[in-house]
Structure formats: C-alpha cells, structure tokens
Amino acid sequence: MKKRLLTLLSMLFLAAIVLVACGGNDSPANDTETDNGNGSADEETSEGTEEAVETVTLRLAENHPEDYPTTIGNKEFARLVEEKTNGRYKIEVYAGGQLGQESQVLEQVQLGTIELARVNAIPLTQFSDQIGVLSMPYLFDDEEAKWEKLNGEVGQDLLATLDGSNLVGLAFYDSGERSFYNSERPIRTPEDMKGLQIRVQSSELAIDIVEALGGSATPMEFGEVYSALQTGVIDGAENNFPSYYTTNHYQVAKYFTVNGYQGTPEVLLASQSLWDKLSEEDQQIFREAALESVAVQRAAWAELTEKAKNAVVEGGSELIEVDDITPWREAVQPVYDKYGAQFEEWIERLTQ
Ligand code: GTR
C-alpha cells in the first residue's frame, strides 16, 4: 500500500515538472506585449524602467486647415488627453480633410477605422432625430446663454442622443452663425432667394430651410463648393465668416447677406469602438479634455471671425446687413411646423 502511494506521488511530481517545462510561455511574467487594441499601439518603452509604457496613437479627422479654430481646439484636446493620461494616449490631428470629406469621415468613425473627428452638427441629424434642434433657424439669440447650455447638462444630454449610432459625442465647438452668400445678386429678403440654387450640407433639415426660404437646395460636400460656385453649378451657399473666407468662396460668390439664420455648433466625436476599449477613468479624461478645450477653440473662433469679416470685405465682398429679420423668421415658419413638436422639449431646455 505504502509502495503504491509512493509510486503515485512520484508520477505526479514528474507530470508537474513536464507541465512547467512546456507551458512556460503562458505565464504572465513573459507577457511583454500588452495589446489593448485601441488604435495603433506604438510601444514606447521609457528606458531604464522595468514596466513598458505603451503609447496608443489615435487619429483625429478635421476638414479645416491647420490654423483654423476647430483645428486649434482639436490640438488643445490632444494636448490635454496626452497630459492627463501621462502619455498613454497620443492624438494626431489630420487637418485639411486629409482623411476624407465630412460624410466619409463620419462613416469611418462609425466603423472605427478613424477613432476621432470634429464635424459639424448638421450631418449628425442623420444619426440622431434630436440633435437637429441645434440647427433650427433663429433659435438662439443670446450667444453666452447658448454656450452655457451647450457646455452643460443639456449639451451632454443632446450628445447622448447619438447613442446607438456608433458615434460618441464629446463636446461642442463654436461655429458662430451661418448666413447666405451667392454670386448672382444681393439678397435682402427671402423673396430674393427665389430661383437660386443654394448648396446645403447633407441633411433633410438643411434642405427644408432653404426650400422654405424659396431657394433650391443642392446637397453637396464642403470640398466641392468652391468649384461648383466657380463653374455656376450652384449660385450660392451658406456658412459663417471663417469658412467663407478660408475656403475662398468669397472670391467666387461676393454677395454675403449677414442674416445669421442658424447657429449650429461643431461636435468633437469619438468612435464607439474606441470608446468601448477605454477604461471608465479614461473615458472621463477624454470628456474632460474635450470640454476643457472649448475655451481655447472659442477664443480662436472670435479672433478669426473678426479677421475673416474684414478680409472678405477687403477682398471685394459686399456685405448686405439685414436690420429686420422678421420676414426671415416668418418665412421659416414651415420648418417650425414640421419639426417643432419633435424638438419641443429641447427648444425649451436650450432657450429657457
Ligand atoms: C463648416 C463646418 C464644416 C462643414 C462645412 C459645410 O462651417 O465647420 O465642418 O460642415 O461648414 O458647410 O459643409
């Protein structure tokens, strides 16, 4: 009996030795590479330390040039994320539409092949039936009150309406007010819009607004507007002073009607697939960094708006000031008839 037990014990001992010898690679001590799969993981090991600090590099798509206010905001966001995560995350900003036009970028962010992007809120109306409230004509009349809301709880709740679309909204950036411009004639009242082919962003709401004002709406990518104006495919478009200036649209459509009909902001977005890979703490850091970058973006916005307004006038643009917006407000009433009920709760929360 004793002998049998001894034989059994020695067999077990031998088996244990064999197991240790073969299975060694699975031991965590040998696991030198930690791939958490977020973006491209360039492993940067700080020399001299035993632990490998991995830097995950993420791409952020931006369709404006390097020194445009949104790009300045993106870079501040990137700086803050890098600082707050002690270099675990590095965000590279691809300005000037290098990663594609806005709608392509949105698709890629949804797929997770681009991790971050700054886009305008209008194209997002395709993915949230609530966020369009921000593009309702003549909705805001107090800029600072608007920004208090957008930077606060209402803003975060509105961004959360993107849930389920594979997009995660982090913060809003300033985009001032949009007005109409064209190459044909000065527009003073909605009647003057009749018969004009006006480019809009891709959104049913944007089309509805132009049609309510009597124009013909042509959805088109931002990057195609300059040549469409130049060749006469369209007569006009609408945007804020900084975009009108930096795209050189003012050189091919000189009549700018200052009717600030829409105050749609910009949005800083993350892909859902990136988001799901971040720890809760890191998600918090990304949100905080996005919100903290808003002040820098808005300061740059105010500066460029002033500069752009002067520059387009110097460049030959004619600014048509609209003193009385009553006829414009009245003309967009059909838009309120169509969307008013849908947005009721948000209109209240944003404007009261
Ligand atoms: C700009 C905005 C861009 C783009 C563009 C457009 O104001 O910053 O992201 O949406 O308008 O009209 O397409």
Side-chain angles (χ1 to χ4, degrees):
M1 181 72 185
K2 221 177 182 185
K3 203 175 166 198
R4 242 204 258 159
L5 189 65
L6 269 178
T7 322
L8 191 68
L9 279 175
S10 45
M11 273 170 72
L12 275 175
F13 181 68
L14 265 177
I17 291 180
V18 171
L19 262 180
V20 167
C22 302
N25 282 343
D26 288 330
S27 109
N30 287 339
D31 217 354
T32 44
E33 235 180 64
T34 41
D35 174 20
N36 62 9
N38 306 343
S40 62
D42 313 333
E43 206 182 317
E44 275 171 19
T45 315
S46 21
E47 272 173 48
T49 55
E50 272 185 19
E51 225 177 294
V53 176
E54 191 184 359
T55 299
V56 177
T57 304
L58 307 171
R59 296 189 303 167
L60 191 158
E62 169 58 64
N63 65 5
H64 286 297
E66 283 297 339
D67 54 352
Y68 197 86
T70 48
T71 320
I72 293 172
N74 301 156
K75 288 180 183 166
E76 176 64 2
F77 166 64
R79 187 189 71 74
L80 288 166
V81 167
E82 196 168 339
E83 184 182 286
K84 286 172 189 277
T85 61
N86 296 320
R88 284 184 293 113
Y89 285 94
K90 186 178 159 103
I91 297 170
E92 285 175 352
V93 178
Y94 288 79
Q98 288 175 69
L99 300 184
Q101 303 264 2
E102 204 154 49
S103 57
Q104 299 155 352
V105 162
L106 272 169
E107 273 172 29
Q108 292 212 55
V109 176
Q110 285 183 302
L111 290 171
T113 44
I114 296 178
E115 294 89 9
L116 296 153
R118 192 288 313 160
V119 298
N120 191 257
I122 299 188
L124 296 178
T125 53
Q126 304 163 75
F127 313 113
S128 150
D129 59 356
Q130 303 296 303
I131 216 159
V133 65
L134 297 170
S135 304
M136 287 298 272
Y138 299 109
L139 178 67
F140 301 107
D141 44 30
D142 177 343
E143 273 301 290
E144 283 324 300
K146 164 180 160 182
W147 280 96
E148 233 172 77
K149 301 278 183 181
L150 292 183
N151 286 333
E153 199 185 317
V154 193
Q156 288 298 316
D157 288 351
L158 259 177
L159 291 172
T161 66
L162 289 167
D163 278 3
S165 65
N166 284 334
L167 301 170
V168 180
L170 301 179
F172 292 104
Y173 278 170
D174 208 345
S175 197
E177 292 185 329
R178 298 175 80 98
S179 292
F180 292 97
Y181 50 89
N182 81 99
S183 58
E184 294 296 299
R185 53 179 184 254
I187 296 175
R188 295 176 204 286
T189 66
E191 277 79 67
D192 300 328
M193 297 268 291
K194 293 236 155 59
L196 291 182
Q197 202 74 41
I198 307 287
R199 176 270 170 171
V200 293
Q201 291 155 291
S202 79
S203 140
E204 190 181 329
L205 175 59
I207 297 174
D208 289 337
I209 296 173
V210 166
E211 309 259 300
L213 291 170
S216 284
T218 309
M220 185 184 285
E221 290 288 355
F222 190 39
E224 287 159 13
V225 179
Y226 180 90
S227 69
L229 283 167
Q230 195 180 35
T231 54
V233 169
I234 51 172
D235 303 308
E238 48 70 70
N239 224 311
N240 46 51
F241 276 116
S243 280
Y244 178 55
Y245 170 53
T246 55
T247 52
N248 291 328
H249 291 179
Y250 72 100
Q251 291 173 0
V252 282
K254 71 175 216 166
Y255 302 106
F256 190 103
T257 302
V258 194
N259 69 345
Y261 80 99
Q262 193 180 52
T264 318
E266 314 283 1
V267 180
L268 197 53
L269 286 175
S271 73
Q272 188 68 51
S273 76
L274 164 68
W275 204 246
D276 293 344
K277 286 170 198 150
L278 296 179
S279 66
E280 259 176 48
E281 246 170 45
D282 285 342
Q283 290 181 348
Q284 191 56 30
I285 289 179
F286 274 60
R287 278 202 191 280
E288 264 171 34
L291 277 173
E292 280 174 38
S293 68
V294 175
V296 169
Q297 190 274 337
R298 291 199 64 213
W301 182 261
E303 208 177 292
L304 182 61
T305 303
E306 212 33 49
K307 184 180 159 198
K309 195 168 173 180
N310 295 331
V312 297
V313 172
E314 264 169 42
S317 269
E318 185 181 322
L319 302 192
I320 300 111
E321 298 287 347
V322 175
D323 298 326
D324 182 13
I325 56 159
T326 318
W328 293 88
R329 273 189 191 272
E330 284 171 4
V332 294
Q333 187 52 44
V335 179
Y336 276 87
D337 296 342
K338 180 169 172 184
Y339 298 94
Q342 179 181 337
F343 296 150
E344 202 179 350
E345 179 206 330
W346 296 107
I347 294 182
E348 249 183 65
R349 288 184 71 189
L350 282 164
T351 57
Q352 281 169 19

